[in-house]
Amino acid sequence: MDAAALWQRYQDWLYYHEGLKFYLDVSRMRFDDAFVQKMQPSLEKAFKQMDELEGGAIANPDEDRMVGHYWLRDPELAPTPELKQEIINTLKDIETFVQKVHGGEIQPPGKSQFTDIISIGIGGSALGPQFVAEALASDFPPLAIHFIDNSDPSGIDSVLNKLKDRLSSTLVLVISKSGGTPETRNGMIEVKTAYESHNLKFASYAVAITGKDSNLDKFAKSEGWLATFPMYDWVGGRTSEMSAVGLLPAALQGIDIRQILAGAKEMDAATRKHQLKENPAALLALSWYFAGNGKGEKDMVVLPYKDSLLLFSRYLQQLVMESLGKEKDLDGNIVHQGIAVYGNKGSTDQHAYVQQLREGVPNFFATLIEVLQDRQGTSPQLEPGVTSGDYLSGFLQGTRQALYENQRDSITVTIPEVNPRTVGALIALYDRAVGLYGFLVNVNAYHQPGVEAGKKAAAAILDLQKRVMQVLNEASVPISLSDLAQKAGKPEQVEAMYKILRHLQANGRGIVLAGDLGQLSSLKVSAS
């Protein structure tokens, strides 16, 4: 396509939102008018399904749940007056609590002010708050946030060691809908132990964000924690950033949460339109469908050209892959749907994997995130008339052009600057695009059976560990792995048992593996 035709295509397919100063360019996705026409009936059906979802229809049939994270940014849309009031009240409760913390009305024992936050959560209870903190928190926030988002002991130690001199002024947020998520529970117990080892009463520092009447809710109230905030049954973890999960930590860091909600609400309104070219989420969903032939045949590479948006690709990994990565469609057919997401920041990728993107396997489409404002204030000139921001802009345009020249498609998302309103809009845009795409390919975008299967498998391993230790503690002499498996009643699990024992021995947990480690059949096991 020559330059004049490309310019015309750019004009034809450029979306612009006046209120948000937001641009979406899908002109470098090489679909044609025939493809758009073919997809029109499917789009119309998806628009209708999205309307029904927002109206309170059961959109997650596996769990018989509504899906209502859209109501969080516009309570007027909630299907009942009770839900509307609950959303409004929770937001007010968050703001009141934060004002009291910032004003010193809620303070740690013996201190005048909280200085830091430890946020304990995993998956959607961590990725959204981490992304927003990286994108929006000031260099010197009223409370600095630290995350425990894994069950890695050394990672937990790293956070606690950094805060050892400020633990007595550190607020702890424990985030878990069920209250039984193992990684979050583990982190809470480890942090609680650390506080108690410093003679600090954990309840005086702790806040729960959890489902009503969950185990965590009951535990927090019985121990007299500082506060509890709700996680709603109708909000999934990966779409919970605009619930207490994301709003409370953001507000504590001094981020304007009303502006996050306002930006999301404005983007939601734009993405309710049933006209393709007036709906940016539909343009994204259509582009994803085209790129992967409706089967996820190509990966989504996300390249934000702004340091503060570094974690956006990680946030989108969960949102897109957990929502769309499904074995079966809504009719029970085996479809193996999904879109793989990965990314880093531009222009870092000029020196990393753009080489492969341009000349290697063409198994992807790129999403470039552009921010028009370089920085607050003026920039020094590196050479006459050229700033570092000009270079960054040039790298983005150069990458887009280099990819297109080699038949690699790309989408460009442009925001005026990184602020609470534009970040809220970005989150809402991809929320809506995922929902529409899910309807286009007929999958349930609001459950995660694969995640639940992994949790069950992990629980089975821990149960096996208990069986193994019981057998070893009762044995009077060292025994072979095969004998151990037989005595534990799990002969088919000998490999898993070996890995359990190897882990326990490496951590000084009273296990002795004797023999040639290269000949596993010769090993003898005992409990020391």
Side-chain angles (χ1 to χ4, degrees):
M1 192 177 291
D2 63 25
L6 274 178
W7 169 236
Q8 186 59 54
R9 181 170 174 82
Y10 178 75
Q11 294 177 76
D12 290 343
W13 286 102
L14 180 67
Y15 171 86
Y16 178 65
H17 190 289
E18 176 67 35
L20 292 166
K21 303 292 187 288
F22 166 90
Y23 299 82
L24 175 64
D25 167 24
V26 298
S27 67
R28 294 318 189 254
M29 302 297 293
R30 288 166 296 146
F31 54 77
D32 57 19
D33 291 344
F35 170 77
V36 176
Q37 191 65 32
K38 176 185 173 184
M39 292 298 297
Q40 198 61 42
S42 296
L43 283 167
E44 288 297 333
K45 183 179 178 182
F47 290 141
K48 183 173 181 294
Q49 289 172 305
M50 185 64 81
D51 291 344
E52 291 169 352
L53 178 148
E54 285 198 289
I58 298 300
N60 186 350
D62 286 15
E63 300 171 342
D64 194 32
R65 288 179 178 173
M66 299 183 294
V67 174
H69 51 277
Y70 306 112
W71 311 329
L72 297 170
R73 44 252 200 175
D74 190 354
E76 295 295 330
L77 296 176
T80 69
E82 292 78 16
L83 280 178
K84 169 186 171 182
Q85 200 56 49
E86 189 175 5
I87 295 167
I88 292 170
N89 290 345
T90 297
L91 182 56
K92 289 180 179 176
D93 290 345
I94 288 169
E95 291 176 326
T96 299
F97 179 82
V98 170
Q99 287 168 3
K100 288 181 177 180
V101 170
H102 287 170
E105 292 179 62
I106 295 176
Q107 56 186 228
K111 300 280 184 177
S112 61
Q113 204 83 32
F114 282 106
T115 60
D116 294 84
I117 307 161
I118 295 175
S119 180
I120 306 171
I122 193 166
S125 297
L127 288 168
Q130 286 171 327
F131 163 55
V132 168
E134 181 79 12
L136 298 175
S138 71
D139 292 336
F140 304 100
L143 279 79
I145 197 165
H146 315 268
F147 293 93
I148 292 177
D149 63 352
N150 201 1
S151 201
D152 176 9
S154 60
I156 295 170
D157 288 347
S158 177
V159 171
L160 292 173
N161 287 337
K162 288 175 184 175
L163 290 168
K164 63 183 178 181
D165 296 329
R166 301 194 304 280
L167 207 61
S168 61
S169 62
T170 297
L171 188 68
V172 181
L173 308 181
V174 183
I175 309 172
S176 170
K177 182 185 284 186
S178 68
T181 306
E183 296 92 339
T184 305
R185 177 180 172 274
N186 297 349
M188 180 193 74
I189 292 172
E190 290 234 16
V191 172
K192 186 172 186 285
T193 301
Y195 274 72
E196 290 170 350
S197 72
H198 285 77
N199 296 316
L200 301 172
K201 184 182 177 184
F202 184 66
S204 299
Y205 300 83
V207 175
I209 303 174
T210 187
K212 184 179 180 182
D213 296 326
S214 72
N215 290 336
L216 177 58
D217 187 41
K218 293 173 183 175
F219 180 70
K221 288 174 179 174
S222 69
E223 288 217 331
W225 286 18
L226 289 174
T228 60
F229 294 91
M231 291 181 76
Y232 304 116
D233 184 64
W234 36 268
V235 175
R238 57 190 174 277
T239 56
S240 64
E241 176 56 29
M242 294 183 202
S243 71
V245 170
L247 297 181
L248 179 60
L252 286 166
Q253 294 169 85
I255 297 167
D256 189 338
I257 60 175
R258 292 277 180 174
Q259 281 298 301
I260 293 177
L261 292 167
K265 178 180 177 180
E266 197 162 359
M267 181 60 77
D268 283 344
T271 59
R272 289 190 185 103
K273 296 182 179 179
H274 286 207
Q275 295 75 36
L276 173 63
K277 288 190 175 183
E278 297 177 21
N279 185 326
L283 288 168
L284 281 181
L286 181 79
S287 298
W288 298 353
Y289 192 102
F290 168 77
N293 196 27
K295 300 175 183 177
E297 293 173 357
K298 291 190 177 181
D299 303 340
M300 182 191 307
V301 180
V302 181
L303 305 175
Y305 280 73
K306 202 69 174 176
D307 286 0
S308 60
L309 298 180
L310 170 65
L311 297 183
F312 193 45
S313 59
R314 285 189 66 203
Y315 174 77
L316 290 182
Q317 269 184 337
Q318 184 188 22
L319 176 65
V320 175
M321 295 176 73
E322 192 168 278
S323 298
L324 303 178
K326 302 297 160 62
E327 180 182 32
K328 297 180 180 179
D329 67 12
L330 285 164
D331 298 321
N333 302 309
I334 302 293
V335 291
H336 297 296
Q337 275 288 354
I339 301 175
V341 179
Y342 62 94
N344 200 352
K345 67 182 179 183
S347 64
T348 299
D349 289 294
Q350 313 296 129
H351 305 279
Y353 51 75
V354 163
Q355 168 64 32
Q356 176 167 318
L357 296 185
R358 187 174 191 274
E359 298 184 6
V361 184
N363 62 343
F364 72 94
F365 63 98
T367 298
L368 313 177
I369 312 291
E370 178 183 28
V371 180
L372 293 178
Q373 186 182 77
D374 293 337
R375 58 155 53 102
Q376 295 290 332
T378 58
S379 293
Q381 294 188 11
L382 308 179
E383 53 197 76
V386 178
T387 68
S388 56
D390 297 339
Y391 269 100
L392 189 65
S393 178
F395 289 141
L396 185 152
Q397 292 191 55
T399 299
R400 176 176 176 270
Q401 179 64 22
L403 292 176
Y404 187 76
E405 287 173 353
N406 258 23
Q407 306 295 303
R408 283 93 200 286
D409 290 343
S410 69
I411 298 165
T412 303
V413 174
T414 303
I415 59 176
E417 59 182 300
V418 179
N419 61 35
R421 194 156 163 264
T422 57
V423 166
L426 279 177
I427 290 172
L429 172 67
Y430 280 87
D431 272 355
R432 308 281 297 190
V434 163
L436 285 169
Y437 183 89
F439 289 131
L440 287 178
V441 298
N442 194 37
V443 298
N444 180 357
Y446 303 105
H447 71 161
Q448 51 282 336
V451 176
E452 299 307 318
K455 290 179 180 178
K456 290 176 182 176
I461 291 294
L462 292 173
D463 181 65
L464 183 62
Q465 178 174 313
K466 294 175 184 176
R467 287 173 179 250
V468 166
M469 291 307 301
Q470 182 179 352
V471 172
L472 289 177
N473 287 328
E474 292 173 354
S476 57
V477 295
I479 59 176
S480 68
L481 288 173
S482 58
D483 286 346
L484 174 60
Q486 289 290 341
K487 290 179 182 295
K490 294 286 184 179
E492 76 284 0
Q493 294 277 15
V494 64
E495 179 183 324
M497 289 185 187
Y498 165 67
K499 291 181 177 179
I500 289 169
L501 294 166
R502 185 177 63 182
H503 170 77
L504 293 175
Q505 179 182 256
N507 287 280
R509 302 277 293 282
I511 292 296
V512 177
L513 285 169
D516 183 357
L517 292 177
Q519 296 291 326
L520 299 184
S521 60
S522 71
L523 290 180
K524 295 288 184 178
V525 189
S526 61
S528 61

